[in-house]
Amino acid sequence: MKYENRYEKLQFFESFIADIITDLKKAAPRFELGIKDLQSSALPLGHAADRDMIESHNDPTSNASHSLLIICNGHGEDVIALEIIKRFLKKIKIKKVEVMPLVGNGKIFDCIKSKNFSKIGYLKELPSGGFSNQSLKGFLLDFFAGFLVDTFKNFLIVRGKSKDNYKIIAVGDLLPLFFAWISKCEFSFVGMPKSDHTWSNGPGWALSDFYHKFKGSEWDPWEIFLMRSPRCKSLIMRDEITANNLNKKKISAKYFGNPMMDFVDTKNENISNIIMFNRLILIIGSRFPEALNNLDIFLKCLEDVKISNDLIILLPLSINANVFTIKRHLSNNGYLEENNVNFLVGEDSVWKNKDKYILLGKSTFNQWANMACVGLSNAGTATEQITGLGIPSISIPGAGPQFTKSFAKRQSRLLGGSVLVCDNKKTLIDNLEVLLNKKDYRLKQVKIGMKRMGKRGASKKIVDHINLNLLT
């Protein structure tokens, strides 16, 4: 009996390897050689859609012919995938919609209440927070947590989808793109993490900049190889320059705007309650304990800031934040909870230290982002979102694993200098005082970044394009 089981496994792996070799042979003439860049994906707070509870009006017994699988591999990618799913469920007849988050447990998708929607796959929070590619330590932690085993199990699930007439939307970079390609299903790819602004602007003396200039794109040759598959029915990029550079390689890539701007409110009527204050938003990230380290760095810097008016500090927390731990850090930095003070902007609690008020709120980022004048931000997508709203920000890189010095510099170039990267406390304080006191300078600082982030409405255009090219 043992022999038969081993023989069956051997047969399965032989068939599996043979299929891959066949696919590679068919596409081999289009393959390009190159060197992988030192990539850092911009990642968000991951709670922009927490307050939405989605119910589908789709009839699961309708005559829809396709089932849809969305594969995503990051917190920002999860938010984009959520918006795509919401729109498909509301407007387009699909037999079944499934999502496979490759990083984390996909908790953000729990807000969808629909009979024909489900999360699938082996879901797990990774010790590295999804940054195993940025350090050996992170990779080893994820490895011993079973990351590779779970990835292979998810891979086998995706491989079986072609038999059931599935269409796939991959959101992210190499891993979801590869999963979509190897599935043998027709697919669309929404490539959000990479932008050619990161190497085509600025000094350009980093080794990775030379790599990208040589390739003509931040996307690597093996990713471009997968994009050229005849089963790839549409490619959507995060900005125009990246789409244009792929078009030069005879790849039909489209740009419809940045969907990340669809997840934040552009106005908040309650701003009148705090309009007379200087207003600052702290974006500490959603990965702990790194987020706590970022909070302590910012609070230490704020001790010596000198401004004319009292300062309102908005501190939105991600859904996974431990509020008691955050409060302990505020207390350790000299802040006391004010039980009799209420600014009525949706805060859960108010804390005070001299002329500074901290407003604490869980899952309040998308309501509060537009109320700030300046951001102190050690995060990914959330920084890009406030830039799109016209709010410049300042960062001071920590120990990581996400927000390192190289990540911060890459982000600043991506956003056209709208984020000022500081090496020390004094530089941060000097920049913050200037930005808070000079409105004209703030607007000038963020102008390029606003243009690069684009306006709201990209999600609808992306879904319409995918529906036309993939599902009809």
Side-chain angles (χ1 to χ4, degrees), residues 35-100:
I35 304 172
K36 182 162 179 64
D37 63 285
L38 305 175
Q39 172 192 347
S40 295
S41 297
L43 296 171
L45 292 172
H47 51 66
D50 289 341
R51 73 181 190 274
D52 294 327
M53 296 300 291
I54 310 304
E55 292 188 9
S56 169
H57 301 290
N58 259 348
D59 178 7
T61 63
S62 71
N63 59 355
S65 59
H66 299 301
S67 293
L68 186 62
L69 171 63
I70 292 91
I71 307 172
C72 43
N73 73 326
H75 296 269
E77 287 79 1
D78 286 355
V79 176
I80 294 168
L82 175 64
E83 185 69 15
I84 291 173
I85 292 168
K86 284 159 52 177
R87 291 183 179 275
F88 272 115
L89 287 172
K90 285 180 178 179
K91 295 185 178 180
I92 299 167
K93 287 187 177 182
I94 296 175
K95 189 185 299 182
K96 185 190 299 182
V97 179
E98 297 174 344
V99 65
M100 178 183 283

Side-chain angles (χ1 to χ4, degrees), residues 366-414:
N366 51 351
Q367 300 108 289
W368 285 0
N370 60 78
M371 296 197 294
C373 300
V374 183
L376 285 186
S377 182
N378 278 10
T381 299
T383 307
E384 297 174 33
Q385 288 171 313
I386 64 171
T387 298
L389 292 172
I391 300 166
S393 56
I394 303 170
S395 66
I396 180 166
Q402 179 197 1
F403 206 83
T404 59
K405 191 172 184 178
S406 60
F407 186 105
K409 288 184 176 180
R410 177 187 184 276
Q411 183 184 69
S412 181
R413 291 170 66 176
L414 170 68

Side-chain angles (χ1 to χ4, degrees), residues 80-370:
I80 294 168
L82 175 64
E83 185 69 15
I84 291 173
I85 292 168
K86 284 159 52 177
R87 291 183 179 275
F88 272 115
L89 287 172
K90 285 180 178 179
K91 295 185 178 180
I92 299 167
K93 287 187 177 182
I94 296 175
K95 189 185 299 182
K96 185 190 299 182
V97 179
E98 297 174 344
V99 65
M100 178 183 283
L102 299 177
V103 175
N105 56 20
K107 191 172 183 179
I108 191 173
F109 299 105
D110 292 344
C111 67
I112 301 179
K113 309 299 180 184
S114 172
K115 293 178 180 179
N116 57 332
F117 170 79
S118 60
K119 284 191 298 185
I120 66 169
Y122 292 82
L123 313 176
K124 182 185 294 182
E125 287 287 353
L126 299 174
S128 73
F131 288 90
S132 56
N133 66 325
Q134 294 193 25
S135 71
L136 178 61
K137 180 183 177 181
F139 174 79
L140 291 175
L141 287 172
D142 288 353
F143 176 81
F144 288 112
F147 168 67
L148 294 182
V149 174
D150 290 338
T151 299
F152 183 69
K153 289 178 180 177
N154 287 332
F155 169 81
L156 294 179
I157 292 173
V158 173
R159 281 280 291 179
K161 293 300 180 182
S162 61
K163 294 181 291 186
D164 298 319
N165 197 30
Y166 270 75
K167 301 296 179 80
I168 293 179
I169 301 173
V171 185
D173 47 26
L174 176 60
L175 190 57
L177 176 60
F178 175 73
F179 272 31
W181 177 81
I182 204 68
S183 71
K184 297 188 177 180
C185 300
E186 292 183 342
F187 65 93
S188 292
F189 178 54
V190 183
M192 288 294 114
K194 294 190 176 186
S195 168
D196 290 343
H197 283 303
T198 60
W199 59 268
S200 60
N201 298 278
W205 295 111
L207 185 60
S208 60
D209 294 332
F210 289 106
Y211 292 159
H212 301 325
K213 287 174 184 176
F214 174 74
K215 295 179 298 180
S217 173
E218 191 177 7
W219 292 100
D220 293 309
W222 38 90
E223 293 166 321
I224 291 172
F225 160 70
L226 301 178
M227 293 175 191
R228 284 186 167 138
S229 167
R231 288 182 289 103
C232 183
K233 300 303 179 182
S234 61
L235 286 167
I236 300 160
M237 296 294 118
R238 63 167 290 147
D239 48 43
E240 193 169 10
I241 185 175
T242 309
N244 288 341
N245 284 341
L246 288 174
N247 291 336
K248 291 175 184 177
K249 296 178 176 292
K250 303 190 185 310
I251 296 174
S252 181
K254 303 293 184 181
Y255 166 67
F256 299 107
N258 195 319
M260 286 182 270
M261 294 311 302
D262 293 344
F263 317 132
V264 285
D265 299 336
T266 55
K267 294 180 181 179
N268 189 327
E269 294 179 358
N270 293 329
I271 193 174
S272 59
N273 298 336
I274 58 174
I275 196 70
M276 300 304 294
F277 294 84
N278 282 304
R279 302 177 305 281
L280 179 68
I281 186 166
L282 295 191
I283 303 176
I284 62 175
S286 60
R287 292 169 187 81
F288 294 85
E290 182 179 4
L292 296 175
N293 183 50
N294 292 333
L295 176 61
D296 287 336
I297 290 172
F298 288 151
L299 293 178
K300 288 287 190 298
C301 292
L302 289 171
E303 288 176 359
D304 300 323
V305 171
K306 295 180 177 62
I307 49 177
S308 54
N309 294 341
D310 287 356
L311 180 64
I312 291 283
I313 303 165
L314 303 167
L315 179 52
L317 301 177
S318 59
I319 194 170
N320 64 320
N322 186 316
V323 177
F324 295 105
T325 303
I326 297 291
K327 288 182 175 181
R328 187 172 68 248
H329 279 254
L330 294 180
S331 180
N332 292 342
N333 282 276
Y335 286 83
L336 298 174
E337 187 168 5
E338 296 283 323
N339 295 317
N340 298 320
V341 178
N342 196 334
F343 290 94
L344 302 176
V345 295
E347 71 273 15
D348 297 327
S349 61
V350 177
W351 296 70
K352 185 179 182 182
N353 183 354
K354 298 177 183 177
D355 58 351
K356 302 177 185 68
Y357 294 90
I358 290 184
L359 277 55
L360 207 62
K362 203 163 190 180
S363 300
T364 51
F365 171 75
N366 51 351
Q367 300 108 289
W368 285 0
N370 60 78

